[in-house]
Amino acid sequence: MDKYNKNITSENMIAQSKSNIENIIFEIIFMYIKDMVFIMKVEKGKTFRYIFVNEAAFLFAKLPIDFIGKKLQEVSTGETAAILQREYSIVCETKQNHSYIDQIKAENGGIIHAESVLTPILDEQDEVKYIVSITRDITESIMEKRQLHESKQRYRSLIENNLDAVFTVDLDGVIHDINPAGLKLIGRSEEEQPIFSLYELINEENTLFYDSFRKCKLTESSQSIDCKLISHNGNKMSVHTKFVPIKVNHATRGIYVILRDISERTKTAEKIRYMSFHDQLTGLYNRRALMEDINLEIKRAETEQVAFALMTIDLDRFKYINDTFGHIVGDQILLKVAERLLEFKNYRCHVYRQGGDEFNILLSNTNRQETASFAQRIISSFANSFYLNSHEYYISPSIGISMYPHDGENIETVIKNADEALFRVKERGKAHYQFYRSDMTSSLSNVISLETKLRKAIQKKELKLYYQPQIDLNGYTFNSFEALLRWESLSLGVVAPNDFIPLAEDTGLIISIGNWVIETACEQIKVWKALYNKDVRIAVNISPKQFQQPNFIEVIRTSIQKFKIKPSMLEIEITEGLMGNIKEAIPILRKLKELGVIISVDDFGTGYSSLSYIKQFPIDVLKIDQSFVKDVVTNAKDAAITTTIIHLGQNLGMEVIAEGVENKEQEDFLKKANCQKAQGYYYSKPLTCEAAEQFLRGF
């Protein structure tokens, strides 16, 4: 009996234990498992009834409280019921696990993605008795997958449509993927894209490429480099290369190699660099290149204790070729000059063009004697003419030379002193060479200082007109002056005309100065007319540059009208040099005659075309140059020339004035030859305005 009771007690305890375990499992499933659990009973005709759902399923499906035992269609309606019926029916038919994903619209308007796994429970007859559905909210997972997919698509779109070539390589440099731009760059098609090494595209000698690739691996940081790429057909191209590490979970798994074709940019950069250092016309090195090369020569000279020479070369009278034949011919001549100078080029001699007709030669490792010999060889080479379009041209060079370090220890000084030496060559007859001397600097500095002061001379009223009388030899009367320009500087004192007038010509100041002279002379004519009631003619010298100004006639007309003088009281004195271009000179002279001014030719007889232009131009007065008058008494040739000019002028109806008369013997000769007028120190030196007025009152 005890034994029996003991067994009963034991069985009860086991049963109670099982019941407790089942309760615990049920509680876990119902209360704590987040997955939704549905247990459906399967009846005939594929009818499905709810017999159990856990709390998560109850809340998610929003089931009614009395859902237990109800059919699927009694709990869910419409599309939801149809979907569940279809999916559960599949399990009944296949008797196997089945899963599907459903999209459910949430209350907030969003979409919930739910994945359900349906598991059949079979009875003894192998029929589906129950179906257990475990449903899980996979919205977050779906969104992550979608985002990952979109990210991959964006990445792929970025790579595929990138204009730069993108190579995906492993850490050994093996290429695993190439975008279309990359295939095009290396000249391969997508079909013939075998796996190959990145290094096959790069010149083996390009160590910088390998170093950059390795540095990207070791430092896990991007690297960039410009290098040469070898395409499939063997062509080389310049590419900008960027290495970008491919990091997965903070570890570098590969490298993106991004290539951009910079061949055109490289060519453009090389072209720009070439243009920066070369003259566009001749292809010679230019001034910038000269500056850099001199700097290098100075460094080398300091190290090796040697000297070098800089030659500045200017072509004599090249302007006349440009003016006569045009710039196209001038440019062709410059090309031929460049070719001739290049004949001297070697490892010690480099040729440059500064612009215009100026060239330079830099002679390395030389001395004064060698440089002089070299300069003479250049001058001798120009003895041979230049042929262009079946025409022959002769050109001579002038060469200024400075030596380093004797003539300067820096770039600026070496160049400046070579230019100053050239300036002296030009002053002294051209067509030779000259080395720089220290006294040139002080002399040129004086010229620069003089130019500065001359520019301010008009506004400071330092310029004056002096007047030299012209005497009528027949009645010893007087009615005309020649106006002579003088500069009485407050700081320099009296500056000789031979010092400042050529400077005014060179700088173009002669235009404004000449206009001032014309206006001042016209004003003086008016003043003397008012004071003495005399018509006094004043002759003013006109420079070639002033004569060629487009407004020259208008300047004279304006001055005449401004001071209301008789035009015939103003005499325009020109030189034979102005007559070189007859076509230009004749219209100007005719307009002057239309104004009514007197036209005279100064220094007559010293030019080369006197007789040819004297019959064409409307000339009123011939002035015999003082070089003939000086020895007219002692030199038969001067006497004959002077007499001829006087007779020529008289026969042509022109007035003749002899310049530079200094004694009575010269005056007697001129009277005997019937010369109308004379001027010179025998009668009077050039007079100030006040002194000239006293002279006027004396007649």
Side-chain angles (χ1 to χ4, degrees), residues 482 539-544 546-547 552 556 571-579 585-586 588-589 592 598-604 613 617-623 659:
E482 179 181 2
V540 295
N541 291 279
I542 301 299
S543 75
Q546 189 179 10
F547 186 79
F552 174 61
I556 295 175
E571 180 180 327
I572 301 301
E573 196 170 289
I574 60 177
T575 61
E576 291 188 59
L578 290 175
M579 307 304 172
I586 286 179
I588 297 173
L589 293 174
L592 286 174
I598 301 298
I599 301 174
S600 64
V601 178
D602 194 18
D603 302 334
F604 185 78
Y613 71 69
F617 297 152
I619 298 169
D620 301 298
V621 180
L622 295 180
K623 298 189 73 175
E659 297 181 294

Side-chain angles (χ1 to χ4, degrees), residues 262-275:
I262 58 171
S263 299
E264 288 302 318
R265 190 178 77 185
T266 302
K267 290 178 182 177
T268 301
E270 290 174 353
K271 185 176 181 179
I272 291 173
R273 177 174 174 79
Y274 180 87
M275 292 174 64

Side-chain angles (χ1 to χ4, degrees), residues 520-689:
T520 303
C522 290
E523 183 180 16
Q524 194 62 63
I525 292 170
K526 177 182 179 180
V527 170
W528 285 340
K529 175 67 174 177
L531 287 176
Y532 308 110
N533 194 28
K534 287 186 177 181
D535 290 327
V536 180
R537 192 172 82 199
I538 297 179
V540 295
N541 291 279
I542 301 299
S543 75
K545 286 190 176 180
Q546 189 179 10
F547 186 79
Q548 294 165 1
Q549 285 300 300
N551 65 339
F552 174 61
I553 301 297
E554 192 57 36
V555 168
I556 295 175
R557 178 186 288 109
T558 301
S559 294
I560 291 173
Q561 293 174 350
K562 178 179 179 181
F563 297 105
K564 299 178 181 178
I565 65 171
K566 293 181 180 178
S568 59
M569 292 300 102
L570 179 64
E571 180 180 327
I572 301 301
E573 196 170 289
I574 60 177
T575 61
E576 291 188 59
L578 290 175
M579 307 304 172
N581 192 329
I582 295 177
K583 290 183 179 179
E584 289 185 2
I586 286 179
I588 297 173
L589 293 174
R590 285 177 178 169
K591 288 179 181 179
L592 286 174
K593 288 303 296 179
E594 290 173 4
L595 283 179
V597 301
I598 301 298
I599 301 174
S600 64
V601 178
D602 194 18
D603 302 334
F604 185 78
T606 59
Y608 298 100
S609 57
S610 302
L611 295 178
S612 66
Y613 71 69
I614 198 171
K615 68 176 182 178
Q616 299 182 59
F617 297 152
I619 298 169
D620 301 298
V621 180
L622 295 180
K623 298 189 73 175
I624 305 173
D625 186 66
Q626 60 182 345
S627 62
F628 300 121
V629 176
K630 180 181 179 181
D631 297 321
V632 73
V633 178
T634 58
N635 188 302
K637 289 184 178 180
D638 286 339
I641 292 173
T642 302
T643 302
T644 300
I645 294 174
I646 294 170
H647 292 165
L648 176 65
Q650 289 175 341
N651 291 332
L652 294 176
M654 299 177 185
E655 184 179 280
V656 180
I657 302 175
E659 297 181 294
V661 178
E662 297 180 350
N663 54 58
K664 191 174 187 313
E665 289 78 9
Q666 293 170 342
E667 183 190 62
D668 290 341
F669 178 88
L670 293 170
K671 282 184 176 182
K672 186 177 180 181
N674 292 323
C675 182
Q676 288 98 326
K677 287 185 178 181
Q679 71 181 79
Y681 276 73
Y682 179 64
Y683 307 105
S684 173
K685 65 180 181 179
L687 304 171
T688 64
C689 181

